[in-house]
Amino acid sequence: AYWGGEPAAAIKTNYLRPGSFTLYSYNENVSPLLSLLKLKKSSEGEVEIYKSFWPDGLNDHALGTAPDFITYCDLLNSGIDRNIETAG
């Protein structure tokens, strides 16, 4: 799995402190990921897990982040001022 959105921006820029967490996975079964990260279902929606739709080679394997264009789109799409500022 790879971080997207706020966590990826925080890793890449060291500027943003994530308030919500986005993960992208190529695996249909996210149960092992949930166990590994010790995540539990929450109605708050603080963690979102999506299926990756781009070639794995575009990910930053060293940092564990999704491609920059995905992170950028996540930040802009959030509509949150601090995320839009970070995307800039």
Side-chain angles (χ1 to χ4, degrees), residues 40-59:
K40 297 179 182 176
K41 289 185 181 182
S42 169
S43 60
E44 309 271 324
E46 297 166 353
V47 178
E48 297 176 319
I49 302 173
Y50 297 105
K51 181 157 177 40
S52 300
F53 55 88
W54 56 88
D56 185 40
L58 297 177
N59 295 307

Side-chain angles (χ1 to χ4, degrees), residues 66-84:
D68 289 343
F69 70 90
I70 297 293
T71 299
Y72 177 76
C73 292
D74 285 343
L75 294 173
L76 290 180
N77 194 43
S78 74
I80 300 171
D81 291 341
R82 65 188 180 90
N83 290 352
I84 294 169

Side-chain angles (χ1 to χ4, degrees), residues 6-78:
E6 293 181 33
I11 291 167
K12 295 250 178 176
T13 67
N14 202 25
Y15 178 70
L16 184 67
R17 183 177 199 138
S20 63
F21 296 85
T22 305
L23 278 164
Y24 290 96
S25 176
Y26 291 95
N27 194 339
E28 293 285 336
N29 181 5
V30 295
S31 294
L33 180 61
L34 296 175
S35 295
L36 177 69
L37 297 176
K38 298 181 181 167
L39 298 175
K40 297 179 182 176
K41 289 185 181 182
S42 169
S43 60
E44 309 271 324
E46 297 166 353
V47 178
E48 297 176 319
I49 302 173
Y50 297 105
K51 181 157 177 40
S52 300
F53 55 88
W54 56 88
D56 185 40
L58 297 177
N59 295 307
D60 187 330
H61 297 276
L63 296 177
T65 58
D68 289 343
F69 70 90
I70 297 293
T71 299
Y72 177 76
C73 292
D74 285 343
L75 294 173
L76 290 180
N77 194 43
S78 74

